[in-house]
Amino acid sequence: MTKVEILTASEKTFHQFSHTCNNMADTAFFLRPENKWSVAENVQHLILSTKTTSLAYWLPKFIVKWLAGVPNRASRTFDEVKDKYYQKLSDGGTASSPFVPKPVEINYGKEKLLQRWKKSTAKYLNALTKNRTEKDLDNYLVKHPLLGRITLRELCYFTIFHTEHHLNSIQKSLRNQ
């Protein structure tokens, strides 16, 4: 995927996620199924993830390089990164503590939480658009808590399918209610 294709796919996925959340009742949004995150907690998790991801595109390149280095390989494809992520999950991988959402109560407000989601995705898209070139996406690494060192392009891919993963999880739980 090119940077333009990544931006388009990201916007589409973010919109689908927001649309699904906006169109559900508050009670469903905050309902916490047994041993699962509520929709609100999924949103909070994605906010934490997206805000952290944005740093890779906002930080000066020399700091990104200093923190994780430069790749000695080509970027993996979207499907390769996605397959690696799902393999890590099937091996028992889970969100590390900084990305585990705290319980979100209904009095917090669905609109307030979704506004935070919208702000975090806008910041991510803005950083990617303004601060990184097509070439940069393959020339810098970041440390991912589950995937290890990945290129900025691979981090873009992760952001897309990670959002899709949580959207699918939410849609599945809504069908099972």
Side-chain angles (χ1 to χ4, degrees):
M1 276 186 193
T2 66
K3 180 178 161 182
V4 171
E5 291 168 331
I6 288 168
L7 287 164
T8 301
S10 298
E11 289 169 345
K12 180 182 175 191
T13 302
F14 295 160
H15 174 76
Q16 289 171 330
F17 186 86
S18 296
H19 180 75
T20 298
C21 292
N22 277 317
N23 288 323
M24 65 177 47
D26 286 12
T27 52
F29 188 78
F30 290 97
L31 179 68
R32 191 167 205 262
E34 191 174 328
N35 299 320
K36 300 273 185 189
W37 291 343
S38 68
V39 174
E41 290 165 332
N42 275 273
V43 174
Q44 184 182 6
H45 168 73
L46 287 175
I47 291 167
L48 294 168
S49 176
T50 306
K51 285 173 78 172
T52 303
T53 297
S54 293
L55 287 174
Y57 305 98
W58 279 114
L59 287 172
K61 291 180 215 177
F62 77 91
I63 292 177
V64 174
K65 182 178 178 180
W66 177 73
L67 290 171
V70 294
N72 60 0
R73 60 169 174 80
S75 289
R76 294 178 185 96
T77 66
F78 182 92
D79 288 335
E80 289 170 335
V81 178
K82 187 175 182 179
D83 290 346
K84 182 176 181 180
Y85 174 72
Y86 281 109
Q87 183 61 53
K88 293 286 188 178
L89 290 182
S90 72
D91 291 344
T94 59
S96 57
S97 61
F99 302 100
V100 175
K102 293 176 176 48
V104 183
E105 301 298 326
I106 197 165
N107 62 355
Y108 184 84
K110 180 174 94 170
E111 289 76 23
K112 183 177 179 181
L113 190 60
L114 290 176
Q115 197 58 32
R116 286 182 50 222
W117 160 247
K118 185 177 179 180
K119 186 177 177 181
S120 71
T121 59
K123 187 173 181 176
Y124 165 79
L125 292 168
N126 189 36
L128 179 56
T129 301
K130 291 184 176 181
N131 296 338
R132 297 297 182 254
T133 65
E134 186 77 40
K135 187 177 175 183
D136 290 341
L137 298 181
D138 297 312
N139 289 333
Y140 294 91
L141 291 172
V142 293
K143 294 177 186 174
H144 187 277
L146 201 56
L147 299 173
R149 291 178 194 265
I150 59 175
T151 66
L152 291 178
R153 183 177 308 280
E154 293 166 348
L155 185 60
C156 292
Y157 296 162
F158 169 79
T159 302
I160 295 166
F161 68 72
H162 183 238
T163 305
E164 290 171 348
H165 169 75
H166 285 276
L167 174 59
N168 292 335
S169 175
I170 289 167
Q171 290 170 333
K172 182 180 176 184
S173 72
L174 290 173
R175 285 191 299 270
N176 293 334
Q177 286 183 0

